[in-house]
Amino acid sequence: MITISREYGSGGREIGKKIAGELNIAYYDSELIYMAAEKSGYTEKFVKDNEEQMSRLQYNLYSWYTPSITEKDVPGVEQLFQIEKKVINEIASKDSCVIVGRLANFILGDHENTFHIFISSDSDAKIKRIMERDGLSLEEARKKARKVDRERATHCRYFTHREWGRANCYDMTVKSSKYGIEMTGRMLADMIRNYVNRQ
């Protein structure tokens, strides 16, 4: 199981696809939305909307929670996280794959045969990528990068009580801007092959 966490604009999604292609294994990203919807009985729109809301949570927003709270009282974002957690664990029990985002490195932290990767990038490279990909101005791209990374950190802190992007939460951290998307993907795939061959 290979998990990819990434800074916004670092190319983590593309690197994950490259690794999956090099290793000839499945790749999961937005596919998890459809799987979660199917498993839960919720509509895909509900899952998408609540996944977006989940990333906007402020850490202290639900500080009033108590252990006695019932399942029906849990907000949609909490329910969705538990559904996605079940989906990720089911995927992990079946076959090798790459999973991007969704705190998969924390969810699968106790599983054997996992490799957790964090992709970062120099700020200038990230901003340029976001501008080109999303059609944004320089200032818009900067604001979006800060906003999304802040939301990912808040999401991680809320659901795991750990800090997003900390090196000790991953087996490998790499700066994609140093090597480029293609080379980063190939290097990581080679590293994982060597790791697997040593097991």
Side-chain angles (χ1 to χ4, degrees), residues 121-179:
S121 175
D122 286 336
S123 179
D124 288 347
K126 285 196 301 184
I127 299 309
K128 180 181 179 182
R129 184 178 182 81
I130 294 167
M131 289 173 65
E132 293 174 351
R133 184 188 62 198
D134 300 348
L136 300 177
S137 68
L138 176 63
E139 188 55 32
E140 288 171 335
R142 284 176 175 162
K143 286 181 179 179
K144 188 167 186 180
R146 288 195 298 267
K147 177 177 181 290
V148 174
D149 282 348
R150 185 169 59 247
E151 289 171 350
R152 287 176 178 172
T154 300
H155 179 195
C156 179
R157 193 181 307 118
Y158 177 76
F159 284 105
T160 71
H161 307 293
R162 298 185 186 178
E163 294 299 319
W164 176 78
R166 285 280 181 90
N168 62 356
C169 295
Y170 310 94
D171 299 305
M172 171 64 62
T173 61
V174 63
K175 190 176 287 186
S176 62
S177 52
K178 187 173 183 68
Y179 308 103

Side-chain angles (χ1 to χ4, degrees), residues 1 28 32 35 86-97 99:
M1 301 299 300
Y28 294 97
L32 286 169
M35 295 173 74
K86 288 179 182 178
V87 169
I88 288 169
N89 276 302
E90 287 181 5
I91 290 170
S93 70
K94 294 176 181 177
D95 207 353
S96 300
C97 70
I99 299 178

Side-chain angles (χ1 to χ4, degrees), residues 1 88-89 92-93 107-114 116:
M1 301 299 300
I88 288 169
N89 276 302
S93 70
I107 292 170
L108 299 177
D110 295 330
H111 282 246
E112 295 181 355
N113 301 318
T114 58
H116 306 298

Side-chain angles (χ1 to χ4, degrees), residues 22-23 185-195:
E22 290 278 333
L23 300 179
R186 286 197 303 271
M187 287 192 315
L188 289 169
D190 287 342
M191 185 176 298
I192 292 162
R193 282 194 197 97
N194 291 333
Y195 169 75

Side-chain angles (χ1 to χ4, degrees), residues 66-96:
T66 66
S68 62
I69 195 167
T70 63
E71 184 175 346
K72 66 182 177 61
D73 295 323
V74 177
V77 290
E78 291 273 352
Q79 294 180 29
L80 178 58
F81 178 72
Q82 294 304 321
I83 291 163
E84 288 190 342
K85 185 175 179 179
K86 288 179 182 178
V87 169
I88 288 169
N89 276 302
E90 287 181 5
I91 290 170
S93 70
K94 294 176 181 177
D95 207 353
S96 300

